[in-house]
Amino acid sequence: MITYSLRLSIILGLLAIILAGCSGLPGTGQQDESLTASATRCTDTFVPHALDFTTTTKSQPVRMFDSNGAGVAVDDLDNDGDLDIALANLGGPNAILWNLGGLAFHRQDLAHSDSRAVAIVDVDGDGWRDVVFTNRLGAPLWWRNTGLHTPDLSDAGFAQQTLPGVMAPAYAMTWGDLDQDGDLDLVTGSYDAELEQILRDSFMLGGGAGIYYYENRSGAFVGQRLADEAQALAIALFDVNDDGWLDIVTGNDFGVQDAVWLHSDAGWQPAQPFAATTHSTMSFASADIDNDGGEELFATDMKPYAEDPQTMAQWQPVMDGMHHTMLEGDPQIMENVLQTRQQDGAFANQAAAWGVTATGWSWSSQFGDLDNDGWLDLYVVNGMMAEELFGHLPGNELVEHNQAFRNDGQRFLPAPQWGLDATAGGRGMTLADLDNDGDLDAVVNNLLAPAMVYENQLCTGQALEVDLRWPDSDNTNALGAVLTLHTDEGRLMREVRAGSGYASGGPSRIHFGLPEGASLERLEVRWPDGATSTVDNPEPGVRLTITR
């Protein structure tokens, strides 16, 4: 293990070969950039900004399954240090919103629609992050980033391609180095209810749906079918058995039980590690919410967050049709579930104890330290619009407030004072520092309403942000790396991942909100292949770039 001083980035770059010889690891260099928080942006709330993008539908009035909307992903597409936004669309073109700084964006359409999920990952390991969309009826579509962006962004520098060997229909997807060989593998899941409705007999006889694991073998993907059928809205890569390998957790809709496959030398092994799961899983998010060094897994479902007569009257016709006949051993419950690992390694549902069993008709959920106090908070977007389900309501729409929760270390407390309780019908959502000021903003892809950025202007705390670079690997942004920040107030743990929430993805840039007055002792990085690096005494209020 190597220990580096934060201020020696230039020297470390020059001495990388020497250091590698001493440690057995490639050299790791840092460069720090200040996170420029502005005192004039301290309003103690989130400020909404409408984006030049709206997810539209092909059916009017909106019907199932257009009602599910589409996702959003954020990361740096032109390697300029600013995080860009990619938005999926059902009825119109997908788009990239190039970050020009100061929360100004330039829209660049990508000539494709009918999309669901979106991810920003470096598929081919060339140092440029690509954009991948899933589609309603076919295999994912890869927009390969050539890096040849014109200065005026008239040419986005993307080439539309198919992923070699990836042919099965996919609604949900996630990316990661599941076999720890230094490149990115892919997991996809189909949403059979929609495919059956649109394709009918051709789908029933085609046999191309289900859950697939695609192993990346020198740029070609070799598929393994893990399940013949699926109603997958979300897929999580989560180390279920705490053995250092990522496992696959699939969240299914329509009362189909969620499915888990554990990594093993003998291949993917099905497992049932959870005593309770959501009935209609809409979203997964995982994080260390209690700062004990282990991750929890949160799944969203559909349950009213209030029980007043007006709310229940809006929900009642739908709830009457959602009765679920429980079979013996069925773990499903109709509410959110928070999986927490117990001392014996088993999981227990602690959603009630943490105050998050019900967040409405919930879609994307994300953990992030929104108030920079060292505890990961929770944001959930919600709402529903469908003629078949809510024809008794104006506009066929269930209008709900998005739900924000502040983590006090023991429980999630509702935080309506933050101003994140919009009612625009959120579907995809992610959290990222879009203005480089050291706090997390929220990006929401609404349905039939403009996508929004909610600018974080809370008046609390500092942050440390970290970019990992692994240029000698095909996993150039070190997806799967685990970062642990040791402070005199305790330790904070984060994992680099590409996909989270519903149909969405956050940046590979890691954000640590810092406890007030805490001294930063060291930052440890466990790379995806198990190698480790350490930065001693990192400074708060900077963004570190660590290049292995």
Side-chain angles (χ1 to χ4, degrees), residues 15 92 311 415 514:
L15 299 182
T311 299
L514 304 176

Side-chain angles (χ1 to χ4, degrees), residues 376-463:
L376 290 170
D377 309 300
L378 175 65
Y379 188 40
V380 184
V381 297
N382 53 28
M384 186 58 173
M385 178 189 295
E387 184 182 38
E388 299 93 327
L389 297 175
F390 292 104
H392 60 289
L393 298 179
N396 306 317
E397 184 176 13
L398 174 68
V399 178
E400 297 182 305
H401 290 278
N402 296 340
Q403 302 290 297
F405 298 88
R406 182 179 66 84
N407 184 349
D408 71 354
Q410 296 180 318
R411 186 176 174 85
F412 287 110
L413 305 174
Q417 70 276 12
W418 285 351
L420 286 169
D421 54 347
T423 59
R427 299 299 188 266
M429 180 271 293
T430 195
L431 304 174
D433 181 5
L434 290 168
D435 50 4
N436 291 326
D437 65 351
D439 51 35
L440 293 174
D441 311 296
V443 191
V444 183
N445 191 359
N446 296 305
L447 180 65
L448 298 185
M452 300 293 295
V453 167
Y454 295 94
E455 180 189 357
N456 189 337
Q457 293 188 9
L458 300 184
C459 305
T460 56
Q462 284 188 298

